[in-house]
Amino acid sequence: MNDSVKVVEVGPRDGLQNESRSIEVDTKVELIERLIAAGVTHIEAASFVSPKWVPQMAGSAEVMRRVPQVRGVHYSALTPNLKGLEAAIEAGCEEVAVFGAASESFSQRNINCSIRESLERFGVVTDSAKAHGLRVRAYVSCALGCPYEGPVPPEKVAEVALLLHEMGCCEIALGDTIGRGNPKSTRAMLEACLKRIPAARLAGHYHDTYGMAIANIAASLDMGLRTFDSSVAGLGGCPYAAGASGNVATEDVVYLLHGMGYSTGIDLPKLVEAGAFISGALGRDTSSRVARAMAASKNG
Ligand code: HMG
Ligand code: MG
């Protein structure tokens, strides 16, 4: 099999946005440089949101200005509104991401507006981004459950995803924000989305709170998805989803994919080094099982 999978590294944004201690821009840029050295080509590097809501992302403009410009490497940044988009354009972004939800309560808590209002806002952001020659990615959070409302109907996820797709968003990332999904619920959610949107336009964005993310990726591969978001060392969580742990670790995703015969272009040992770097900088152990197993087999 020579099937390739696109791995979108979201550690520098989703991974670090929730850290309580401030992280130097130097550290963020070095993490990104190390990810690129490991062969990572898609990196969500920044977030142009209100610093009152997410203080950790306040240095985003500087991060974007300092990241290396390397052929074949693509950066993305979150932009919830026109103010965020203007800041992203000013910082030289070529791709931005709008982020909506399939749950009203989460939408209110995360971006302070209803789903309908958010879609109106994203329409304006998307039109303006496209007029400036930028690509727009989109997220649907709470695709497999909401921290405030519990289960979320697959139809609701598909409805929001379709509106974002019709708006012209190039890729819709389906977010299991709180990691409550399992392969069965993942399949049901994807089935609803795939009736309306081609698999090539969907991405799995799974958090690993309950340890189900790798199983959910395997189920998504079976359903035809070939793009997955992940976070080196399993960094992260969402400030507006209490208890949500990090994204699935990129090391674990790459190990799964390579073992199943998919290519990613990523060098696993170098990726593990990037994970060790950021774990050291944060003063904690990696959440990647693969990184821990590789360290144990090296030392043992
Ligand atoms: P609001 O308070 O309704 O906004 O927040 P507003 O338009 O009324 O403005 C209030 C203040 O914020 C003003 O400043 C604006 O200038 C400022 P003040 O006059 O008070 O000094 N402001 C901004 N500043 C910088 N950048 C901006 C911006 N917009 C307004 N873009 C808003 C609405 C969307 C801004 C706010 O709710 C917000 O920033 N939310 C972001 C929350 C967030 O980043 N959450 C984490 C990311 S989502 C996630 O992690 C899930 C995901 O990974 C997928 C998954 O896992 O499911 C994507
Ligand atoms: Mg996330």
Side-chain angles (χ1 to χ4, degrees), residues 4 16 32 48 52 59 80 106 166-167 171 173 204 207 220 242 250 254:
S4 71
L16 297 182
I32 290 166
F48 293 95
K52 287 182 193 143
F106 187 81
E166 287 174 343
M167 214 176 263
E171 192 166 88
H207 285 255
S220 306
T250 310
V254 168

Side-chain angles (χ1 to χ4, degrees), residues 186-206:
T186 300
R187 274 195 201 95
M189 183 274 291
L190 290 179
E191 237 163 57
C193 293
L194 287 166
K195 276 186 202 150
R196 298 163 173 85
I197 305 168
R201 294 298 188 92
L202 297 176
H205 175 104
Y206 305 137

Side-chain angles (χ1 to χ4, degrees), residues 10 13-14 17 44 47-54 57 78-85 87 98-100 106-113 121 139-143 173-178 205-207 229 237-240 247:
V10 296
R13 192 283 301 175
D14 207 350
Q17 70 183 4
E44 196 172 76
S47 180
F48 293 95
V49 297
S50 162
K52 287 182 193 143
W53 286 63
V54 185
M57 290 288 109
L78 294 194
T79 53
N81 52 20
L82 271 183
K83 188 176 171 83
L85 176 67
V98 293
F99 50 106
F106 187 81
S107 181
Q108 288 292 350
R109 306 264 183 135
N110 196 40
I111 51 173
N112 205 24
C113 64
R121 206 178 274 177
Y139 284 96
V140 183
S141 285
C142 300
L174 301 161
D176 186 7
T177 318
I178 50 170
H205 175 104
Y206 305 137
H207 285 255
D229 297 0
C238 173
Y240 295 98
N247 299 87

